[in-house]
Amino acid sequence: MTTIPVALGARSYDVRIEPGLLARAGEVLAPLSRGRAMPIITDTNLSAHCETLVASLAAAGVSAPVLTLPAGESTKSWAQLESVTDWLLEQGVVRSDHVIALGGGVIGDLVGFATSILKRGCNFVQIPTTLLAQVDSSVGGKTAINSRAGKNLIGAFHQPSVVLIDPQVLDSLPQRELRAGYAEVAKYGLIDDAGFFAWCEANAAALFAGDPAARAHAIGHSVAAKARIVAADERETTGTRALLNLGHTFGHALEAETGFSDKLLHGEAVAAGMALAFAFSAEMGLCPAEDAERVAAHLQSVGLPDGLAAAGVTADGATLVGHMLHDKKMEGSTLPFLLARGLGRTYLDKTVDLTKVAAFLDTQRP
């Protein structure tokens, strides 16, 4: 087992990574139960994994009632938040109990937020089942639901007690979901590790083919990178953690334009957003054009969108910038952007002229 600590003082926890860990989760989690039930919240796509988890907990003497929610981004809603909190109260959950989030980023975000507000905060465990959740959303304590105004605008920082990652669950993941998660893997190379991006270029095919070593390296390296950044800036107050938002400002605008639907998965939007961030940086003379081209070429090579056309977005620049104005990172009238001076040289820029962004996006329209 690989154990990666997330060092946050009293809120520190471990991320444990091991093939087959889902079937052994009971022995790992039993000490946290203190003889109490550990409710599981999951979605309709994960019945087989849920059965494995329930059996593992039962073998360790832990009962685990299950709430199954609809799969998809629309589950990150006020209505489902209410259903989750009502159900947990019906189960008699107390503040010292642990609730298990078994699923991708949607389930992790929703359950994390629900437990942050239930009885003013109770414990939860992340068991991520998608590549995106394993390398990104399950680590770091950002929890949220979506609203009509935009993505992740209602939420809280709430760290899990432990994160259990079983790379073998990715074997059942549809290729589209795997590709969407891969966008977040490549992101860690583009942020501040050009060597890792080069590894991605050389090993992406093996990862998608199911090579255990490639998947283990991608997950472990990504989690360690995120743990380091989160430990340095847990609540995104110094700007360090903001680097993790590379591609997200453009990406969230694309998601908003496509109605936060399956038309464009979150990871697909992030991929297009990263390509746009590098292309915009190149247009502004900040980044070598060949670096932007390399990013776009790699994303395209693995089947991810590398811009507006590939993402199926035809809106004009003003419309997309209008979506950006609802971004939770807005500071007064300023929207910080993650731009790049080159591969592995991302930085936060708070002086970007949104009229230039709109004009740039108009040049990128299909």
Side-chain angles (χ1 to χ4, degrees):
M1 181 184 293
T2 298
T3 301
I4 299 172
V6 183
L8 295 170
R11 295 176 304 286
S12 296
Y13 54 95
D14 289 335
V15 181
R16 303 184 184 185
I17 308 169
E18 183 182 26
L21 184 55
L22 185 64
R24 297 199 308 102
E27 64 186 75
V28 177
L29 297 178
L32 296 179
S33 72
R34 301 171 299 103
R36 300 271 298 173
M38 299 186 79
I40 299 169
I41 299 172
T42 188
D43 71 38
T44 51
N45 288 337
L46 298 169
S47 58
H49 292 324
C50 190
E51 289 174 5
T52 299
L53 178 58
V54 170
S56 178
L57 288 165
V62 180
S63 64
V66 177
L67 175 64
T68 302
L69 301 176
E73 187 73 19
S74 61
T75 291
K76 280 176 57 170
S77 66
W78 283 110
Q80 293 296 354
L81 177 67
E82 182 178 23
S83 69
V84 167
T85 51
D86 283 347
W87 182 77
L88 290 174
L89 291 172
E90 290 169 4
Q91 301 306 309
V93 169
V94 298
R95 294 175 70 180
S96 57
D97 287 341
H98 286 77
V99 179
I100 299 174
L102 175 69
V106 169
I107 292 295
D109 280 6
L110 175 64
V111 175
F113 184 42
T115 54
S116 79
I117 59 177
L118 190 76
K119 298 189 174 179
R120 297 192 176 94
C122 60
N123 303 307
F124 83 114
V125 172
Q126 287 269 26
I127 305 183
T129 59
T130 65
L131 181 59
L132 190 149
Q134 289 183 353
V135 302
D136 184 64
S137 61
S138 67
V139 181
K142 280 188 175 181
T143 72
I145 60 171
N146 301 331
S147 73
R148 285 178 295 181
K151 187 178 178 70
N152 295 335
L153 296 181
I154 314 296
F157 286 94
H158 187 49
Q159 301 294 345
S161 297
V162 67
V163 180
L164 304 184
I165 295 177
D166 182 350
Q168 288 183 347
V169 304
L170 301 180
D171 292 341
S172 63
L173 202 66
Q175 279 292 307
R176 185 185 179 195
E177 291 280 357
L178 197 63
R179 288 195 300 268
Y182 177 77
E184 297 282 1
V185 174
K187 180 188 74 176
Y188 291 106
L190 296 176
I191 289 172
D192 63 0
D193 191 344
F196 182 60
F197 183 70
W199 180 91
C200 288
E201 291 176 306
N203 292 277
L207 185 153
F208 286 111
D211 180 78
R215 288 186 177 180
H217 181 74
I219 295 168
H221 189 96
S222 299
V223 169
K226 183 158 190 182
R228 169 178 52 82
I229 292 171
V230 169
D233 184 16
E234 180 183 6
R235 292 178 174 262
E236 209 168 296
T237 55
T238 68
T240 301
R241 183 165 182 169
L243 295 176
L244 295 169
N245 294 323
L246 175 63
H248 286 62
T249 300
F250 285 107
H252 285 171
L254 304 185
E255 285 186 274
E257 182 62 23
T258 53
F260 300 107
S261 68
D262 288 345
K263 292 180 182 178
L264 189 67
L265 301 180
H266 175 66
E268 294 169 338
V270 168
M274 291 191 300
L276 290 168
F278 269 81
F280 180 69
S281 297
E283 182 165 299
M284 294 295 103
L286 302 168
C287 168
E290 55 266 31
D291 285 358
E293 292 165 2
R294 187 171 158 189
V295 172
H298 180 59
L299 296 174
Q300 187 179 58
S301 74
V302 299
L304 283 167
D306 61 346
L308 297 184
V313 174
T314 59
D316 61 24
T319 298
L320 294 175
V321 166
H323 291 311
M324 293 177 187
L325 296 178
H326 295 292
D327 195 293
K328 60 184 177 299
K329 296 182 290 297
M330 283 288 294
E331 298 177 3
S333 59
T334 301
L335 177 58
F337 272 80
L338 271 298
L339 300 179
R341 297 188 176 95
L343 296 173
R345 300 177 61 200
T346 299
Y347 74 101
L348 185 67
D349 193 325
K350 297 184 178 182
T351 64
V352 174
D353 184 340
L354 292 179
T355 60
K356 291 183 178 180
V357 174
F360 161 75
L361 288 170
D362 280 334
T363 69
Q364 303 295 304
R365 293 177 68 190

